[in-house]
Amino acid sequence: MYGVKRLGEWLLQKGKITPQQLEEALATQRLTGKKLGETLIELGYITHDDYYEAQAEQWECPYEPLHEAAIAQAQRVRHWIGMQEATRFMVVPLREENDALWVATADPNNVEMLDYLRQSTGKFIKVAFSPTERIVRAIARLYSTHEDPERPEESVQELEVSEDTFEVAEDVAQLEQIVQQAPVVRLVNSILLEAVERNASDIHFEPLENALQVRLRIDGVLYVVRTVPRALQASVTARVKLMAEMDIAERRRPQDGRFTFKSGERKIDARVSSLPTVFGERVVVRLLNRENVLKTLNQLGMPAQVEQGLIQLASKPWGMILVTGPTGSGKSTTLYALLQQIKSERRNILTCEDPVEFTIEGIGQSQVNERAGLTFASQLRAMLRQDPDVVLVGEIRDAETAEIACRAAMTGHLVLSTLHTNDATSAPARMIDMGIPPFLINSALIGVLAQRLVRRLCERCKEPTTLTDPSITALFGSSSVPAYRAVGCSECGNIGYRGRIGLYELFIVSEPVRRLIAHEADSEQIRAAAPPGTLFTIQQDALQKVRDGVTTIEEVLSQIQISAGQARAA
């Protein structure tokens, strides 16, 4: 929040530090890389309250230290903000002042919080700044008792307290414990940083009967990296939920949240999902690294024929291009790469996604919100009134979205989207199954890209080998095939693989194929009738990458099926 000069000048102006102390702190900061405020506190030149007061000055609002007197006064106004809202927005009610309600928050510019409180209380909201750790402690103190401030004559024992109330109280009481336990904070931070260093895509916090297991998904495979004692399970889970601005007190319903953190110079977006299970809440954190997602087409490992064909399809003024494959096969990465390839000042490109994973400059991106009634179909209708040249629909999930997308492609728009099918030639049949008339598919669909992800061999330790198994060599049409095998070294964590690469299949819709679609032909019929140059198969790409030592035959066969006939055709 602060630049070094801004904070230092403010502290000097207020007489909190001397120029010599500031120079010493700046010199120490250059060695440690810590923030100036943290350095001054560690050197003993300022207190935490001095630092927080400076932060409040930056927000241009008063500083609220949330001492006992303030919390006692807040008991009288806590009925204005419920416990769930307090934990959701990290806000504490302070006092009433005529038609205004004073609140303390760590984020005075949280527009969503301010709007919600104005509507729910009917009062004008005045804001004071307080650090997150004090907000959490205040929430724990404020809502841990079940006394009704409006009925002081009734004691806790006289009120009816249900089993559910005890469960909520237990969660809220943990808030203070979580913030005070530095080991828990360090543990969660170390897991996050380890996941980034190992290029993990997901972190799984999995409660077992006697422990909390932590697994990382690295290159599509899960590996156990930690086993946390059962006693720390609730604290670790609550810490992750707190970072994601989720309701810590709610443990019986699934929740979603997100947060951002930095690892060195890298900015990582984390999407968090919680799910109640028999032994406690299961939390999965998906890590989204801009460097990994925002790639160009030539960084994806596409065969030249596929890349050139896809670019030619995307250069057309209208039509629908689909990217198909299972969840986690890199479809979004391919679409983002394609958008960057075709964007220009002369094209109006709009997207509707669920969610928007990363923003691309020069493109209008919007997010689906089905809870608010904003579905892919309704948003697509609205987007078509915005004079787009190119429209990206995150996913075709239903017949309504598919039909609107097809009609948009027929009326002068280039439409990009994703679909779940096993291969590229299955896309027309899948759309027919969804209830889309064949004539709409014929008029709209111009091409389909199918893809899978396989692990890439570690360049440092891979070793040459020869494939001699007849069931495998038959795929290559030879009795022995030079290839490479995984070994394992310190560079790849002794796995033998490092990173992933795509296997691609490009299907260009031709006139003979359109006639088959009109008769609702299946995938095999379409594949057999595709004219030369209109179908580059995934089997071709897979076998070539095995020959080139990019991946192994074991990886390929774990993702796709190849028969000898398909290999010969490839």
Side-chain angles (χ1 to χ4, degrees), residues 52-67:
Y52 298 147
E53 188 178 352
Q55 288 181 292
E57 183 82 4
Q58 175 73 6
W59 289 114
E60 298 181 347
C61 67
Y63 166 53
E64 174 52 60
L66 284 175
H67 294 322

Side-chain angles (χ1 to χ4, degrees), residues 7-8 11 17-18 21-26 28 35-47 51:
L7 176 60
L11 292 169
I17 57 173
T18 66
Q21 290 172 334
L22 177 59
E23 288 179 7
E24 182 183 351
L26 290 170
T28 303
K35 293 181 180 179
L36 177 60
E38 295 173 358
T39 303
L40 287 165
I41 291 171
E42 290 178 358
L43 291 173
Y45 294 151
I46 64 172
T47 65
Y51 182 49

Side-chain angles (χ1 to χ4, degrees), residues 66 68 71 74-75 78 82-84 86-87 90-93 132-147 168-180 242 248-249:
L66 284 175
E68 288 293 328
I71 295 174
Q75 294 283 353
R78 69 176 185 180
M83 183 187 64
Q84 290 191 3
T87 56
M90 282 292 109
V91 64
V92 175
T132 301
E133 58 268 27
R134 295 194 182 180
I135 294 287
V136 172
R137 284 200 293 268
I139 291 173
R141 294 290 304 279
L142 196 57
Y143 296 96
S144 61
T145 175
H146 300 287
E147 294 178 72
V168 172
E170 181 186 350
D171 272 346
V172 175
Q174 289 172 0
L175 289 170
E176 185 172 3
Q177 179 185 9
I178 294 161
V179 173
Q180 291 176 341
L242 178 64
I248 299 174

Side-chain angles (χ1 to χ4, degrees), residues 355-371:
V356 174
E357 293 187 358
F358 290 105
T359 57
I360 303 176
E361 187 176 353
I363 293 176
Q365 296 171 265
S366 56
Q367 185 159 314
V368 168
N369 186 348
E370 293 189 355
R371 291 181 181 176

Side-chain angles (χ1 to χ4, degrees), residues 491-509:
E491 192 77 17
C492 60
N494 293 316
I495 295 172
Y497 298 92
R498 190 175 186 189
R500 289 192 287 178
I501 192 168
L503 303 178
Y504 299 96
E505 176 170 279
L506 182 63
F507 167 49
I508 300 172
V509 180

